[in-house]
Amino acid sequence: MNKKSLIIGTIFLFIDQISKVLIDTFITHNSTIAIIEGFFSITNIYNTGAAFSILEGNTWLLIVLSFIILFILGTIGKEFKKNNRNAIAFGLLIGGIFGNLSDRLFLGMVRDFLKFKIFGYNFPVFNVADICIVIGVGLLIISIFKGEDCSENNSRDRRTYTIR
């Protein structure tokens, strides 16, 4: 993990927490404000589970999993090449995981508020931390496919062998 990732993570942690405080301050719990009718609204809800409300009510398990994932990210982060994509990816993941982790630790649930209806499907309500996590994972997948998941100092042999 490098300094740039930690700075990015801290910035997005603050953006996530500020957005959640603003929503809690100005929108009553379980209320919805339509921004683009039939497509996008702000809905103040609380979620005791993870994405799509899986593991609902298992807050302590999700807290433990968050710490395990942060430890893994810290460990594998040393193996990735030091470039902007990887710094952003790890920063987004750190900020997003800490954003939802802090909600779980201090509130016992996560505050969600972004709601989209796409082609008639009500997408699950999410928050800024969730966006960070999804984009961070996507960037890491790109890095892995591009072979940037190992540093120059710890490069692995990536030759492919053919069977004759």
Side-chain angles (χ1 to χ4, degrees):
M1 205 65 52
N2 62 26
K3 185 177 178 180
K4 189 184 291 188
S5 294
L6 295 176
I7 291 169
I8 292 168
T10 302
I11 290 168
F12 279 100
L13 170 62
F14 282 123
I15 291 170
D16 175 67
Q17 291 299 301
I18 289 169
S19 67
K20 291 171 179 175
V21 167
L22 288 171
I23 295 302
D24 269 347
T25 301
F26 295 108
I27 300 176
T28 309
H29 179 249
N30 286 330
S31 295
T32 299
I33 297 174
I35 305 298
I36 301 173
E37 193 64 45
F39 175 69
F40 173 61
S41 60
I42 306 278
T43 301
N44 186 358
I45 64 163
Y46 302 147
N47 181 3
T48 61
F52 303 99
S53 295
I54 60 171
L55 298 174
E56 191 167 0
N58 291 294
T59 302
W60 285 106
L61 174 62
L62 293 168
I63 288 170
V64 170
L65 286 174
S66 295
F67 280 116
I68 291 170
I69 292 168
L70 286 168
F71 175 77
I72 291 169
L73 287 174
T75 302
I76 68 167
K78 297 171 190 169
E79 303 298 320
F80 276 70
K81 289 182 181 176
K82 305 296 181 237
N83 61 28
N84 286 334
R85 179 188 309 110
N86 292 338
I88 292 167
F90 282 100
L92 288 170
L93 285 166
I94 290 167
I97 292 169
F98 270 116
N100 285 338
L101 177 60
S102 62
D103 274 10
R104 287 188 179 99
L105 285 171
F106 297 112
L107 305 172
M109 46 69 181
V110 173
R111 299 169 286 180
D112 290 327
F113 57 90
L114 300 169
K115 183 177 182 181
F116 286 88
K117 185 175 185 176
I118 302 172
F119 302 116
Y121 174 71
N122 282 318
F123 199 77
V125 183
F126 56 97
N127 59 41
V128 174
D130 298 332
I131 295 168
C132 292
I133 292 168
V134 169
I135 293 172
V137 167
L139 291 174
L140 281 186
I141 289 170
I142 291 169
S143 291
I144 290 167
F145 278 117
K146 292 186 89 151
E148 297 170 351
D149 58 326
C150 55
S151 65
E152 291 83 15
N153 298 335
N154 193 22
S155 62
R156 289 179 260 159
D157 188 358
R158 292 195 170 266
R159 289 180 283 186
T160 57
Y161 298 95
T162 55
I163 300 173
R164 294 180 191 207

